[in-house]
Amino acid sequence: MTTFSESVRKYEQLCEENDVPAETVMAFLVELSQKERYNLYMNFDNEMPEDLKERFDEGMARILKQEPMSHVLGYSWFYGYKFIVNPDVLIPRPETEELCANILSRMDEFFPDQEEIRCVDIGTGSGAIAVTIAMEEPKVNMSATDISADALKTAEKNAEENGAKIRFLCGDMTEPLLAEETKYDVLICNPPYIPEDEEMESSVVDYEPHVALFGGKDGLYFYRRVFDTCRRIMKEKSFMAFEMGWNQREAMSALVESTLPEAKYEILKDMNGKDRMLFVYFGTL
Ligand code: SAM
Ligand code: GLN
């Protein structure tokens, strides 16, 4: 017989030996057992049911080989919503939840009396941002794009499962939007922004889609693409919200100032104190 405590201790030890964060063990057990953490601790000296133990052992074997826990589970939590994830989409990150919170507060500030807020999420991946914003702000009319048709299939499922109404378009950055007449109040984009020669953890680089990660030599390729074309799809009074790399403040500021000299902008830090979000405002004093 194996108790919860024995099994958890064994895997925490193995995690340490294999360079996997030890917290993953309890986080995985909470999801697999569908029990609260305190409830597991209360039963820590009891025997682990056979079927749970089997799933736990199988999953931990994969996690110890650096496979992301979200891939083993097939889902991930983001802003309190459940998202299907798989190798076609980036696993949504906690920093991106902060981006969503900031977008929602600026929408309130900018468009208090507007009945509808037209919004687009470029490079939607799992749909995490688009679904969250559409669910949290009922005034939003949401469109979302991606160049990956496979990612869009997952995003569509996520919109449906969470009950969000979103129009999906497949295409290269702003291209599908430029082909239409529609103008937007809010453009959101968390593009691939990792410089292409950066060294990365194997749990990311071996398991997540490279089309979602790498943004050219300096990581800024996709921002340039948006900045060069955005005026044609943004309303006069509107804003754009981007996630960005923690070490891109200077290069990003220079890029905004040179390509969008009439716009105001700010760079915000994430909860770890790192530069992480860029907001660009058009038509405000
Ligand atoms: N928005 C999701 C999130 O925040 O979790 C995913 C962001 S991921 C960093 C970047 C996304 O951009 C990926 O889904 C990728 O497929 C998409 N992408 C990459 N190149 C693109 C392009 N040229 N045009 C449109 N989307 C692109
Ligand atoms: N935050 C992701 C990572 O560090 C990268 C996301 C992105 O390029 N937009 O793996």
Side-chain angles (χ1 to χ4, degrees):
M1 106 163 197
T2 312
T3 63
F4 282 91
S5 153
E6 285 161 351
S7 192
V8 166
R9 289 230 177 83
K10 172 178 104 179
Y11 284 119
E12 282 177 346
Q13 178 69 34
L14 284 169
C15 275
E16 266 166 40
E17 289 164 20
N18 287 275
D19 237 358
V20 173
E23 307 85 76
T24 316
V25 178
M26 277 307 290
F28 184 53
L29 188 56
V30 164
E31 293 298 330
L32 273 193
S33 64
Q34 299 285 299
K35 293 223 155 53
E36 299 287 345
R37 207 166 269 258
Y38 74 86
N39 197 303
L40 289 170
Y41 283 129
M42 273 165 39
N43 292 294
F44 234 37
D45 293 325
N46 296 349
E47 185 176 355
M48 201 184 240
E50 200 48 45
D51 63 321
L52 177 61
K53 184 175 178 304
E54 215 168 275
R55 290 187 298 135
F56 190 49
D57 287 341
E58 277 170 20
M60 280 312 306
R62 291 168 64 184
I63 290 170
L64 287 168
K65 289 188 195 135
Q66 311 289 330
E67 192 170 344
M69 179 178 89
S70 305
H71 283 183
V72 176
L73 292 169
Y75 65 85
S76 173
W77 294 99
F78 182 87
Y79 221 94
Y81 300 100
K82 193 174 182 176
F83 287 89
I84 300 162
V85 296
N86 52 46
D88 296 328
V89 299
L90 187 90
I91 300 165
R93 307 286 205 263
E95 301 88 276
T96 311
E97 295 180 317
E98 290 187 68
L99 178 70
C100 289
N102 280 295
I103 291 166
L104 290 165
S105 73
R106 275 159 186 73
M107 279 177 167
D108 281 346
E109 216 176 289
F110 269 63
F111 311 111
D113 306 318
Q114 212 161 294
E115 262 175 40
E116 183 189 69
I117 304 173
R118 267 193 186 272
C119 191
V120 62
D121 175 28
I122 297 179
T124 197
S126 64
I129 301 175
V131 168
T132 299
I133 300 292
M135 295 302 290
E136 295 288 315
E137 176 50 78
K139 291 199 288 187
V140 158
N141 175 332
M142 181 62 81
S143 302
T145 79
D146 208 286
I147 198 162
S148 157
D150 290 329
L152 283 179
K153 276 188 211 147
T154 300
E156 261 161 354
K157 271 193 221 137
N158 281 325
E160 198 180 311
E161 297 269 312
N162 285 295
K165 199 169 149 247
I166 298 173
R167 182 177 76 111
F168 288 101
L169 302 164
C170 193
D172 190 1
M173 299 310 284
T174 51
E175 274 177 21
L177 309 169
L178 293 164
E180 304 176 331
E181 298 281 295
T182 312
K183 298 229 192 273
Y184 293 86
D185 296 293
V186 181
L187 179 155
I188 308 165
C189 183
N190 174 15
Y193 57 66
I194 298 174
E196 61 196 13
D197 48 13
E198 189 155 306
E199 293 228 349
M200 293 180 69
E201 299 161 45
S202 93
S203 62
V204 176
V205 82
D206 294 347
Y207 290 99
E208 299 205 74
H210 288 197
V211 68
L213 293 172
F214 296 105
K217 264 208 154 27
D218 61 357
L220 297 182
Y221 170 74
F222 292 104
Y223 303 91
R224 283 193 193 90
R225 299 267 318 270
V226 176
F227 296 169
D228 285 344
T229 52
C230 61
R231 279 195 213 77
R232 287 152 60 195
I233 51 169
M234 298 307 290
K235 289 191 192 167
E236 212 158 292
K237 183 179 177 195
S238 56
F239 73 86
M240 306 196 290
F242 301 88
E243 190 172 308
M244 60 183 258
W246 62 273
N247 51 1
Q248 291 170 338
R249 173 182 279 268
E250 279 166 29
M252 187 65 92
S253 304
L255 187 63
V256 181
E257 287 168 25
S258 63
T259 50
L260 300 168
E262 78 284 18
K264 286 204 158 43
Y265 73 95
E266 60 181 332
I267 290 171
L268 307 180
K269 292 190 189 301
D270 64 19
M271 61 197 142
N272 299 311
K274 294 187 166 174
D275 292 323
R276 185 64 66 190
M277 293 156 266
L278 166 74
F279 281 79
V280 178
Y281 310 103
F282 294 116
T284 52
L285 290 178

